[in-house]
Amino acid sequence: MKKLLNRYSMFYILVLACICCSSCSVKKEHDLINDQNYKVEQEKEQVIPQEDLSDKNIQDNSENTSDIKTKIEEDDLPAENYGNKNNLSKDFLQNFYDFTEQTFAHIIRDNEGKNQIYAPFNFYLSLSMLNELSEGEAREEIQKALNISDAKNNASELNTALSSLQERRLFPIGRLNINTSLWLSDEINYKDNLLNMLQSQYNTEIFKGDLKDREFQNLMTKWVYENTNFEFQPDYQSDYHKSFDQLDQHTFISLSTLDFYDEWLNPFNEEDTKPDTFFISDNEKITCDFMNMEAWSHPFMVGEDYISTIFILKGGAEYMLFILPKEVLSVDELVEEKGKLAEIIYNWTDGQVSDGKISVGKVKLSIPKFAYEDEIDLRKTAEKMGIRKIFDINSKAFSLFADEDTYITDIRQVSKIEINEKGCSASSYTEIAAVGAVASKDEAEVILNRPFIYILYKDKIPFLAGVVRNPIG
């Protein structure tokens, strides 16, 4: 089966090699931390959307920027980790597939009837960083939820995964960027060895300043804005952020971003896009635009209670997996079945044949165009996975990291996605706020005209998953 899939991929690669590639704009990259200091460069330009800030530039003010720097030993500078080409271990991948399935199931359960979009890799990465900063029972809970026993080995695997996800293989059409940053209060002492480790092992940018200061908050907004390809500008003066417990006692805010864009290797013809019926439920249906195609030598998998297929993107290693449950089964019921989603992901990413389910043949594709945005409360998800001590004010979960009693108040993720005839784009940011108290057929039809699941993955690593219940809602 691997040979068939490889042959399929090579077929499209050869076809694509005959096509002239047009240049596309790539998002401006954020300045990295240089030399032995964590620092914020002098800001020349303001990008904040709020009306009362529209005319205000971040000035070169020593009171606001000089304290953002914090010393790092030269030996602790980031290594060239992104050159690591080692393969990910099967144990890491299986753990991550299980994590993706479990967290996705919790999210769907908490948001019944809604479209969902979720970035599992960013959540896993954020929890792994919290694991490095915590101790005692809090650390045990995180390690149990992630099913890891060796934090150093997990960091190494994550570094390999990040390298693989962000490497461009063929044509420089698209992008997949994942970035992390940690924003610290200048009123609190932190353990330098842990800050050094986060920068070198997790490629995390570190900023230090007054978390109550509007200009420092503007820098956080600007960082998210630039690292999501100018899609999100969180307002740290909003009622949501002001509602954080003990806002004036923040000890750190962790941010993780995802920015993805790529074009289909075999794009849809716009002339074939037609309106058709999407069945939201037995009693509700809508009309929306469907992209249509008949593809030859196309892989698909038929299971007992689902059919699935993949669509290849030009990057050379990115795929979009579509999973359609049988009519008698809802997406919620499929995801709730323990091991089901993880097995589907594993079979596709590893090219495994299970009872002859994966086939290659003629596939009729009909996919609704969709675009939507979603926000998830990941604190609920973490708690349901047994992670509770980091939210306990009395747990002293982060005494290893900071000299104040610190606990997490909020974990949230905001994401958006759009697919059309040309390709797929998606962006997401994950925010953690901490305060201190002080196939068996030769042909198939994949008609996605009822709620379905999609998963974007690259090099066996799912980085985005979602449910479409209403393409225009």
Side-chain angles (χ1 to χ4, degrees), residues 44 58 102 156 225 280 283 360 460:
K44 307 283 188 191
I58 300 176
Q102 293 167 23
S156 176
Y225 185 59
I280 296 174
N283 303 316
V360 174
K460 305 183 180 182

Side-chain angles (χ1 to χ4, degrees), residues 9-221:
S9 298
M10 287 303 299
F11 170 77
Y12 279 110
I13 291 169
L14 289 172
V15 172
L16 184 63
C18 299
I19 301 174
C20 293
C21 298
S22 60
S23 62
C24 66
S25 61
V26 180
K27 92 173 183 66
K28 179 177 65 179
E29 294 188 2
H30 183 62
D31 289 336
L32 297 177
I33 297 174
N34 297 313
D35 302 323
Q36 69 270 25
N37 295 321
Y38 299 111
K39 60 185 178 179
V40 173
E41 298 291 344
Q42 295 179 354
E43 300 296 335
K44 307 283 188 191
E45 178 179 328
Q46 182 64 23
V47 296
I48 311 304
Q50 292 81 5
E51 290 184 4
D52 58 337
L53 294 180
S54 60
D55 296 325
K56 181 180 180 182
N57 291 326
I58 300 176
Q59 302 296 327
D60 181 10
N61 188 326
S62 60
E63 181 179 358
N64 295 322
T65 60
S66 62
D67 292 333
I68 293 175
K69 303 176 182 178
T70 179
K71 186 77 169 63
I72 302 178
E73 298 299 326
E74 188 172 350
D75 291 341
D76 292 312
L77 288 175
E80 295 296 330
N81 292 320
Y82 279 166
N84 187 349
K85 303 299 181 186
N86 293 333
N87 291 329
L88 292 164
S89 71
K90 287 188 176 181
D91 286 343
F92 174 83
L93 288 170
Q94 189 60 61
N95 285 341
F96 182 60
Y97 298 159
D98 291 340
F99 173 85
T100 299
E101 176 188 277
Q102 293 167 23
T103 51
F104 196 36
H106 288 308
I107 289 165
I108 285 180
R109 199 180 303 130
D110 290 338
N111 297 275
E112 187 175 354
K114 288 176 53 183
N115 289 338
Q116 282 103 42
I117 179 172
Y118 164 52
F121 187 83
N122 289 72
F123 188 31
Y124 189 97
L125 179 62
S126 297
L127 289 177
S128 295
M129 291 174 58
L130 288 182
N131 177 66
E132 301 279 10
L133 303 180
S134 61
E135 62 178 335
E137 290 184 54
R139 185 167 193 166
E140 291 175 5
E141 287 178 350
I142 296 174
Q143 290 186 342
K144 184 177 180 181
L146 301 182
N147 196 23
I148 61 174
S149 56
D150 186 336
K152 186 174 182 180
N153 181 65
N154 185 62
S156 176
E157 295 272 19
L158 277 170
N159 205 286
T160 302
L162 279 167
S163 173
S164 185
L165 284 170
Q166 299 185 120
E167 180 187 10
R168 300 307 300 172
R169 301 294 170 76
L170 292 177
F171 300 93
I173 297 295
R175 61 184 182 270
L176 173 52
N177 298 310
I178 295 175
N179 294 292
T180 61
S181 62
L182 193 64
W183 301 76
L184 307 173
S185 169
D186 57 6
E187 298 178 354
I188 296 172
N189 294 320
Y190 302 90
K191 304 301 187 293
D192 287 341
N193 63 319
L194 291 180
L195 294 177
N196 297 336
M197 180 275 300
L198 288 180
Q199 188 190 32
S200 62
Q201 296 299 317
Y202 291 85
N203 298 282
T204 301
E205 297 181 75
I206 309 292
F207 302 90
K208 194 171 185 180
D210 183 356
L211 289 168
K212 303 183 297 293
D213 180 73
R214 192 158 189 152
E215 290 186 357
F216 192 69
Q217 293 172 354
N218 289 348
L219 292 178
M220 286 191 286
T221 298

Side-chain angles (χ1 to χ4, degrees), residues 291-308:
M291 305 178 295
N292 298 288
M293 176 189 296
E294 283 192 358
W296 296 85
S297 298
H298 195 96
F300 60 93
M301 182 194 299
V302 178
E304 276 186 27
D305 44 18
Y306 68 91
I307 186 169
S308 63

Side-chain angles (χ1 to χ4, degrees), residues 249-341:
Q249 298 183 45
H250 263 123
T251 58
F252 69 82
I253 292 177
S254 172
L255 295 170
S256 172
T257 58
L258 180 148
D259 169 38
F260 171 74
Y261 173 77
D262 211 339
E263 297 177 3
W264 307 124
L265 187 60
N266 186 17
F268 291 86
N269 189 334
E270 290 187 18
E271 294 180 358
D272 294 330
T273 298
K274 308 291 183 185
D276 210 333
T277 302
F278 186 93
F279 299 90
I280 296 174
S281 66
D282 292 339
N283 303 316
E284 185 179 1
K285 61 184 179 181
I286 60 168
T287 299
C288 62
D289 287 337
F290 280 77
M291 305 178 295
N292 298 288
M293 176 189 296
E294 283 192 358
W296 296 85
S297 298
H298 195 96
F300 60 93
M301 182 194 299
V302 178
E304 276 186 27
D305 44 18
Y306 68 91
I307 186 169
S308 63
T309 190
I310 58 172
F311 219 70
I312 303 177
L313 293 125
K314 284 183 179 177
E318 294 97 347
Y319 302 83
M320 192 163 190
L321 168 61
F322 295 98
I323 305 169
L324 180 69
K326 294 287 179 68
E327 290 189 43
V328 295
L329 192 72
S330 69
V331 293
D332 307 75
E333 291 169 327
L334 186 142
V335 174
E336 288 287 348
E337 184 177 342
K338 186 173 177 59
K340 172 70 75 175
L341 188 62

